[in-house]
Amino acid sequence: MIRTLTSRFLGYAILIFFALVFLYPFVIQIANAFKTEANAAANPLSPIPDPFTSASIERIFEGTGFPTWLGNSVLVTVVVTIGRVAFGSMAGYALSRLQFRGRRALFAGLLALMAVPPVVLLIPKFLVLNQLGMYNSYSGLIVPLLADATGVFVMKQFFDSVPVSVEEAARIDGAGVFRTFRSVVLPMAKPALITLTILSFTGSWNEFPHTLVSVQDPSLFTLPRGLADLVSGSLGAGTQYPLKLGAALLATIPVAIIFVIFQRYFVRDAAAGSDKG
Amino acid sequence: MPRGIRGNERPAGWLFVAPALIILGLFMLLPILMALWVSLTRWNGQGSPFTGDVPFAGLQNYTRLFTDEGLARQDFMTSIRNNAYYVLLVVPIQTVLALALALVVNNRLLKGKGFFRTAFYFPSVTSSVAISVVFLFMFANGGAINAILSVFGINGPQWFSDPRGLIHLAFGDQAPALLADHSLLGLSWWDWLAGPSVAMCAIITLVIWTTSGTFMVMFLAALQNVPVQLEEAGLIDGASAWQRLRHIILPQLRPTTFLVVTLGLIGTWQVFDQIYVMSQGNPAKTTLTPAFLSYRTAFRDFDYGSGAAISFVLFLIIVVLTLVQRRLTRERD
């Protein structure tokens, strides 16, 4: 009895300690975004801004490129998410269900592409955008992200796990491939589509390296790019931490909201990550 | 499969894969081939690299990294050293931490599992750039980390301007003659043995903090598949908690542990975003990694050939690790 009590107490102590370790940086971020610069420098640990000021948040909107970055981020995320969900589900369905020659080779190619580490694509992507005249444009920022190998793979795995009988019934009733896909397959694939939407949303909202090699003009920056520029560009000119933390905070909020709402999908993704490779 | 009712699916099949195929082909496969060519040239970013005017370098961009004495090899080897120390610290620590947290969260006596799982997992879904900004503030001179350290009477270092290696710090500043006089691939033995710099440690902390949650969720999923009877049998046989962990639970978790370690190895060789935002390879090149060096060589020094060559060497390192991981995963299934 005593032993269970001690182990329970110890368990909670460990959990609460690590919950603090994992969450307190966000508390620090939020609190310091509303502090004055002097107060943030003097009391970086304090969770309470004293005095409270929203001056930095106002400056983010009036004195930096933040509104532009935000607009670009929203545009990129919306278009990329739609593209990835549409193209990913189509390709995943074809690779799982449709009988055509070359299917196996395509799937093998897909697995090979998934092994390509994104960071080694920095220079290659720049080369192709430069060659196609897409460097430093919205199309260069968006089009290369419209499909991702992992998304196609996730959808293929999902369709592999669903019995064919429902579709067969529709096909017997005389519906073509496209009708069956639109009115039978997609509604059935809702859980996988939600997962893919979330993956695509967070992936494109947080995307940084691609923006680094596809655009140069500040009017084309997305939030991560603008933020990185804000931090590394003005390092010499004062610290301005409340401003930077505030901008980082605003960039984090949309993903945080999605995370809270769709938590179980996130956790399942990570758990399923074991087969993704 | 009854082909009769399905009809000819060939056109539909290709039509369905076409958009994804075109985008992946055009922006993944083609660029890799283009970069392979560029890595054999001395293209400086002017005009197109695919004309006869661009000087051909053969394998020189690669050999410069390994055999030719000079700054290129020294920088590359430094970046390999830095990244190796980074891997050596991040992978074991994040694996053990993830496993430990999963074991505690999985404890049946404790409530609030959902909350703690969420709390530990949240950092890994946020933007790497945004979180780097937060850690830059926390590790600033007189920042939160040093404030905590001073509570324990420790005078925190100036994290991002301190290039001293941990091993050097432990054994003194003076290089023994034996280590200083011998060198390997352009770095003295003493330099190879520097350990991660203080600045790199700040980045290591950030990365462990962000990724442990993801791996914890993987361990948690695996733990839930450990048959309860197994543990109970151990309990009846009078095995202590440690013995049960060591001889019953850990063997059951072996496949997941392998996976977490190899995914960790693959991920840690790709560190880029945090370096870009927090240190840009400084101080004294001690946070330079192959990924960042390749970027810097191409886009700051306009030596695209060398930059691409570094990318491909890194590519090779990661592909080998990926193949190992896939083999292990297949063996498990």
Side-chain angles (χ1 to χ4, degrees):
Chain A
M1 191 59 210
I2 304 251
R3 270 194 60 192
T4 17
L5 267 181
T6 1
S7 84
R8 201 180 278 191
F9 177 77
L10 199 69
Y12 279 124
I14 295 172
L15 287 180
I16 289 167
F17 172 76
F18 276 100
L20 270 178
V21 169
F22 281 98
L23 294 181
Y24 204 70
F26 295 107
V27 175
I28 290 183
Q29 180 184 19
I30 297 168
N32 284 282
F34 294 100
K35 289 180 187 175
T36 60
E37 199 156 326
N39 187 25
N43 303 305
L45 263 178
S46 157
I48 298 152
D50 178 31
F52 180 95
T53 167
S54 57
S56 294
I57 303 288
E58 283 157 26
R59 269 203 36 231
I60 291 169
F61 283 97
E62 280 153 20
T64 72
F66 190 87
T68 314
W69 310 335
L70 180 64
N72 288 336
S73 267
V74 170
L75 176 74
V76 170
T77 304
V78 168
V79 179
V80 169
T81 303
I82 293 172
R84 286 190 178 180
V85 171
F87 300 159
S89 56
M90 282 163 65
Y93 178 71
L95 289 176
S96 168
R97 286 295 163 77
L98 302 179
Q99 311 280 319
F100 60 102
R101 202 184 298 167
R103 187 178 75 156
R104 269 166 203 281
L106 283 178
F107 185 60
L110 184 76
L111 288 180
L113 281 188
M114 281 172 65
V116 176
V119 287
V120 308
L121 287 172
L122 289 176
I123 299 170
K125 271 187 178 168
F126 166 75
L127 291 174
V128 82
L129 292 174
N130 191 39
Q131 200 67 22
L132 296 174
M134 290 165 74
Y135 180 69
N136 211 17
S137 71
Y138 277 110
S139 63
L141 193 57
I142 294 171
V143 177
L145 299 176
L146 280 179
D148 70 322
T150 314
V152 177
F153 183 79
V154 167
M155 292 311 290
K156 184 203 177 273
Q157 296 297 88
F158 171 79
F159 288 121
D160 282 350
S161 72
V162 176
V164 254
S165 49
V166 186
E167 292 163 61
E168 301 266 304
R171 297 294 290 279
I172 292 170
D173 289 347
V177 176
F178 297 96
R179 271 249 345 250
T180 313
F181 182 70
R182 215 186 48 222
S183 45
V184 179
V185 175
L186 281 186
M188 197 172 62
K190 216 170 137 193
L193 291 177
I194 294 176
T195 303
L196 185 54
T197 308
I198 292 168
L199 277 178
S200 309
F201 177 90
T202 51
S204 49
W205 183 267
N206 292 339
E207 175 65 44
F208 172 64
H210 177 69
T211 65
L212 209 51
V213 297
S214 61
V215 295
Q216 190 179 34
D217 186 343
S219 69
L220 292 170
F221 282 5
T222 58
L223 277 172
R225 178 73 195 272
L227 209 51
D229 200 56
L230 189 69
V231 175
S232 51
S234 55
L235 266 182
T239 53
Q240 306 191 21
Y241 273 119
L243 176 88
K244 294 173 187 169
L245 291 169
L249 175 65
L250 293 171
T252 309
I253 289 174
V255 174
I257 292 173
I258 297 282
F259 178 71
V260 170
I261 298 175
F262 294 103
Q263 231 195 84
R264 59 201 177 98
Y265 289 93
F266 276 90
V267 173
R268 206 174 51 193
D269 288 346
S274 18
D275 338 298
K276 253 186 249 165
Chain B
M1 197 144 299
R3 187 145 182 124
I5 49 161
R6 312 203 108 219
N8 181 11
E9 293 178 339
R10 196 168 166 191
W14 282 100
L15 213 61
F16 270 55
V17 294
L21 185 66
I22 293 170
I23 288 164
L24 293 176
L26 209 54
F27 296 104
M28 274 187 93
L29 198 61
L30 177 68
I32 293 172
L33 299 176
M34 289 167 91
L36 210 48
W37 166 254
V38 168
S39 78
L40 304 175
T41 71
R42 288 202 195 87
W43 187 54
N44 61 3
Q46 298 294 314
S48 163
F50 307 102
T51 61
D53 308 337
V54 178
F56 186 73
L59 288 174
Q60 250 179 42
N61 289 327
Y62 292 91
T63 54
R64 278 209 307 164
L65 301 176
F66 293 96
T67 56
D68 302 357
E69 237 166 82
L71 191 63
R73 181 173 77 167
Q74 202 186 346
D75 281 354
F76 179 66
M77 289 302 160
T78 305
S79 77
I80 293 281
R81 176 202 67 183
N82 297 339
N83 214 147
Y85 282 120
Y86 169 89
V87 172
L88 226 55
L89 280 178
V90 171
V91 175
I93 295 178
Q94 76 185 4
T95 307
V96 171
L97 183 61
L99 175 63
L101 289 177
L103 286 169
V104 181
V105 172
N106 196 46
N107 189 334
R108 264 166 294 142
L109 297 173
L110 302 182
K111 291 201 183 84
K113 195 180 283 191
F115 168 77
F116 290 112
R117 193 175 59 184
T118 308
F120 301 158
Y121 189 59
F122 181 63
S124 64
V125 301
T126 56
S127 144
S128 55
V129 175
I131 226 57
S132 296
V133 175
V134 177
F135 271 65
L136 210 49
F137 172 67
M138 296 209 310
F139 278 96
N141 306 333
I145 299 291
N146 282 352
I148 293 172
L149 288 178
S150 70
V151 173
F152 299 99
I154 301 168
N155 213 342
Q158 302 201 346
W159 294 92
F160 285 105
S161 42
D162 197 334
R164 292 173 299 166
L166 285 195
I167 299 178
H168 281 183
L169 276 176
F171 291 100
D173 292 339
Q174 226 35 29
L178 171 77
L179 296 178
D181 295 347
H182 293 75
S183 70
L184 176 71
L185 295 167
L187 290 190
S188 73
W189 288 10
W190 177 245
D191 281 337
W192 277 110
L193 293 172
S197 69
V198 173
M200 187 57 113
C201 288
I203 297 174
I204 287 171
T205 311
L206 161 65
V207 172
I208 293 172
W209 181 82
T210 31
T211 45
S212 295
T214 321
F215 293 130
M216 180 208 64
V217 173
M218 286 188 193
F219 275 124
L220 212 49
L223 275 175
Q224 272 147 13
N225 290 331
V226 175
V228 189
Q229 297 94 315
L230 265 184
E231 254 214 277
E232 280 168 357
L235 209 62
I236 292 165
D237 290 346
S240 70
W242 172 250
Q243 284 171 326
R244 289 197 307 269
L245 174 69
R246 177 86 181 67
H247 297 289
I248 300 175
I249 299 176
L250 284 188
Q252 291 277 320
L253 291 182
R254 246 178 80 134
T256 312
T257 313
F258 266 131
L259 185 78
V260 167
V261 169
T262 39
L263 283 180
L265 286 173
I266 294 166
T268 42
W269 279 100
Q270 299 190 49
V271 56
F272 178 82
D273 299 9
Q274 293 83 357
I275 306 279
Y276 184 96
V277 177
M278 298 174 92
S279 68
Q280 301 259 328
N282 296 319
K285 296 180 181 170
T286 59
T287 63
L288 201 59
T289 62
F292 187 77
L293 178 65
S294 123
Y295 170 82
R296 202 192 70 176
T297 308
F299 295 98
R300 304 257 166 90
D301 306 340
F302 303 105
D303 184 353
Y304 289 87
S306 297
I310 295 169
S311 287
F312 281 107
V313 175
L314 179 61
F315 196 173
L316 200 69
I317 295 175
I318 295 169
V319 163
V320 169
L321 293 170
T322 309
L323 292 179
V324 171
Q325 182 248 322
R326 285 194 177 168
R327 250 199 111 136
L328 292 172
T329 324
R330 208 167 307 140
E331 271 168 22
R332 185 189 64 169
D333 302 337

